Amino acid sequence: MNISIINSPFMVFRRYMFYLTSQKWDREKIESYQDEQLIKIVQHSAKNVPYYRSLFKEIGFDPDTFRGRVDMHRIPLLDKETLRTRQDEFIAENAQEYGINWDSTSGSTGTPLNLIMDNSTKAYKLAGVIRSYQWAGYSLGKKTFSIQSYTFKNSDSISKHYRFFNLWRFDAKKLKKDSALEVIQMINDIKPKIFIGYPFSIFMLTQFAKEEGLSINPFDSIVTAGETLSERRRELLEAAYGCKVFDFFSLHENVSIITECEHQTRHIFEDFAYNEIVDEYGKDASEQGIGELVGTGFYNYAMPLIRYKIGDTVVLDNENHTCKCGRKFKIVKEITGRQNDYLETPDGRFIGNVLEHSVDKANGVMLSQCVQDAVDHIYVNIIADETFNDDSIKAFEKGLRQRLGDEIKFDFKVVSQLERNKSGKTPFIISKIGHEYL
Ligand SMILES: [Zn+2]
């Protein structure tokens, strides 16, 4: 979602036209397309991707006998740890042919990961993003305001206007009280119709507006991304902005997009990736209807990921309801797993999941976690591997400084276990100071 506006509009347009057709497919057509794409990517991986070549040999898997969805269980699940430690082996030897765009991420686990998104995937993803915004009421040229984590060429600027798309982008990392008032002013002047961004940032604006007795110009719709949209937060946002809020889910690994249609029903983009759910033993959990989301992307030939364990828990609609929108894509009732805490900086900014990118360049960090115990103090818990050293800490600290500023003190601790929050999870951010905004 948070991808740069690319320079090959034709590639995007073609895929967008495809998506307009494929969203009308019946189940039979969806499933035969999935089988076709799975066979292609599995056979390509067997031939050109070192990791899969040796894995398939090791387990005695013959790609020529692979028939698609029914045979997926023959390929082992891929976990984040394996991808992180063996990233290079996932790059196809002929990756160059497909175009190499590096994309760094640390996801919600605080683990650095360098991924390649090839040209075709980039175009499919952007076309998919456009289709999903359209489900939420967007059309090309409609004034759009987006608040997410951006890096602008001029590092001092807090926002940027893209005239062609009628799009304004604001860097969520720079959200604090005075810049929030500036954003509210901008929104009231520009009067955008669509608001896209982190639910936390969008919510913060309403809090600042309330404190100052300001009103925010109404939107037609809001699309939230980057963290789980809880029903409570959806209700708060819908009440504050007087419009519908749509949830958008995707990830850098490009193995799943789940997004809401006009009727606020979450649909799996089954024409972008093949998604399964598994139980804690890795067995198919589709009958139970709840399990961990697993994804296989169809288009990323430069760095294919097959049966990748995403980490989020998904509840499927197992009663086979058909959505009023008429689309036959599978329905997801709930996605849980990306509910983030936030930190507060001494200069009054609130930093949520944008902090995750701080760890992108820290080698040897397997898992990490930032715990704030005072307004000017954070300690960082790190689970390290053997490549971890002083430079890893320096890179991590630099990443944190860029986002949190110079006034805050850090302590880095190598630990064997991360801390758990009240709900028993080990999130990247834990705040032990006040929470007036959650
Ligand atoms: Zn629908």
Side-chain angles (χ1 to χ4, degrees):
M1 163 109 156
N2 187 2
I3 49 181
S4 58
I5 293 168
I6 60 169
N7 359 339
S8 55
F10 181 68
M11 273 183 98
V12 179
F13 181 73
R14 240 178 51 198
R15 284 157 181 83
Y16 170 69
M17 294 312 286
F18 164 77
Y19 278 145
L20 290 188
T21 309
S22 56
Q23 65 177 343
K24 295 183 189 138
W25 286 349
D26 58 18
R27 283 307 306 171
E28 201 185 326
K29 176 70 190 155
I30 293 169
E31 287 167 5
S32 68
Y33 180 79
Q34 292 192 312
D35 286 337
E36 205 178 289
Q37 296 305 316
L38 289 171
I39 292 168
K40 272 162 66 178
I41 197 106
V42 165
Q43 292 185 347
H44 161 78
S45 305
K47 196 168 164 223
N48 302 300
V49 180
Y51 174 83
Y52 287 109
R53 205 163 43 214
S54 65
L55 173 75
F56 292 169
K57 206 170 152 192
E58 203 179 293
I59 62 169
F61 171 82
D62 175 8
D64 291 331
T65 62
F66 176 76
R67 296 165 297 170
R69 291 167 302 132
V70 289
D71 287 331
M72 283 303 267
H73 64 94
R74 291 168 57 199
I75 303 175
L77 295 165
L78 166 62
D79 55 40
K80 289 192 176 168
E81 182 52 23
T82 306
L83 175 61
R84 193 194 73 83
T85 49
R86 301 173 66 179
Q87 306 180 16
D88 296 348
E89 293 173 54
F90 286 87
I91 300 172
E93 282 150 353
N94 57 348
Q96 212 73 41
E97 287 173 32
Y98 303 98
I100 293 177
N101 309 284
W102 284 102
D103 187 24
S104 287
T105 173
S106 50
S108 45
T109 53
T111 309
L113 195 56
N114 298 306
L115 298 164
I116 289 175
M117 167 155 69
D118 62 28
N119 292 341
S120 176
T121 305
K122 207 168 171 177
Y124 269 114
K125 180 123 180 216
L126 189 55
V129 167
I130 295 171
R131 180 174 74 180
S132 88
Y133 289 177
Q134 218 161 26
W135 290 5
Y138 171 81
S139 56
L140 196 68
K142 208 167 181 177
K143 275 187 191 171
T144 306
F145 195 88
S146 173
I147 178 162
Q148 294 184 67
S149 178
Y150 297 116
T151 308
F152 301 123
K153 268 188 194 142
N154 174 358
S155 58
D156 290 335
S157 43
I158 59 171
S159 66
K160 197 171 171 196
H161 177 206
Y162 299 82
R163 206 171 304 268
F164 179 77
F165 292 94
N166 228 347
L167 164 70
W168 284 259
R169 281 178 164 178
F170 178 85
D171 183 7
K173 298 190 287 296
K174 304 209 169 108
L175 189 64
K176 55 180 177 176
K177 191 157 183 179
D178 51 353
S179 56
L181 298 179
E182 232 176 281
V183 171
I184 294 166
Q185 191 59 51
M186 267 174 87
I187 290 172
N188 290 345
D189 291 344
I190 301 165
K191 301 185 175 51
K193 295 290 170 213
I194 310 279
F195 199 176
I196 299 162
Y198 301 136
F200 175 67
S201 304
I202 296 176
F203 180 67
M204 287 302 307
L205 285 187
T206 66
Q207 294 301 302
F208 289 127
K210 204 155 94 189
E211 280 170 27
E212 293 298 306
L214 295 169
S215 60
I216 306 180
N217 197 68
F219 288 86
D220 290 351
S221 40
I222 293 176
V223 181
T224 61
E227 59 191 85
T228 306
L229 180 70
S230 64
E231 285 314 306
R232 181 179 123 78
R233 183 137 307 161
R234 192 203 298 264
E235 280 166 25
L236 286 171
L237 288 176
E238 291 193 336
Y241 287 92
C243 66
K244 276 191 185 177
V245 175
F246 299 86
D247 185 23
F248 176 94
F249 171 90
S250 75
L251 62 159
H252 288 268
E253 289 89 333
N254 290 310
V255 293
S256 184
I257 296 179
I258 300 173
T259 183
E260 291 186 339
C261 71
E262 301 82 344
H263 301 279
Q264 288 172 305
T265 305
R266 287 186 182 88
H267 290 283
I268 300 179
F269 270 24
E270 293 183 88
D271 46 3
F272 178 76
Y274 178 64
N275 287 139
E276 306 165 68
I277 55 168
V278 298
D279 65 17
E280 55 187 311
Y281 308 105
K283 294 271 172 280
D284 174 36
S286 50
E287 244 166 63
Q288 296 91 297
I290 176 164
E292 184 181 346
L293 188 62
V294 168
T296 305
F298 291 151
Y299 309 117
N300 205 12
Y301 280 62
M303 194 174 186
L305 301 179
I306 300 170
R307 304 196 81 208
Y308 180 71
K309 290 179 81 188
I310 295 169
D312 299 80
T313 301
V314 154
V315 183
L316 287 179
D317 174 40
N318 261 8
E319 282 109 62
N320 289 320
H321 288 121
T322 44
C323 183
K324 278 186 240 154
C325 74
R327 295 181 189 93
K328 301 295 184 290
F329 293 144
K330 280 184 186 158
I331 296 173
V332 166
K333 285 204 279 201
E334 206 183 319
I335 308 174
T336 52
R338 292 191 193 180
Q339 215 122 29
N340 285 312
D341 213 334
Y342 67 92
L343 303 177
E344 202 174 329
T345 64
D347 61 349
R349 291 176 299 137
F350 299 94
I351 304 286
N353 56 351
V354 297
L355 197 67
E356 285 164 7
H357 285 282
S358 309
V359 71
D360 288 355
K361 296 199 169 75
N363 287 322
V365 174
M366 282 168 60
L367 291 167
S368 61
Q369 180 176 57
C370 298
V371 187
Q372 182 165 32
D373 54 0
V375 86
D376 60 351
H377 186 253
I378 285 167
Y379 61 90
V380 183
N381 292 325
I382 294 171
I383 298 181
D385 70 14
E386 64 288 348
T387 64
F388 183 81
N389 58 29
D390 285 351
D391 289 337
S392 317
I393 294 186
K394 277 185 204 145
F396 203 156
E397 180 163 0
K398 195 176 164 199
L400 289 170
R401 288 254 171 261
Q402 277 169 1
R403 292 161 179 89
L404 296 169
D406 294 325
E407 293 170 52
I408 215 155
K409 281 196 286 289
F410 300 113
D411 279 307
F412 292 87
K413 303 190 211 175
V414 174
V415 297
S416 56
Q417 260 185 345
L418 296 180
E419 288 179 36
R420 295 191 178 275
N421 63 12
K422 283 188 206 105
S423 52
K425 293 200 167 133
T426 55
F428 183 57
I429 293 175
I430 293 185
S431 172
K432 295 187 172 174
I433 63 173
H435 262 136
E436 58 179 312
Y437 293 114
L438 271 189

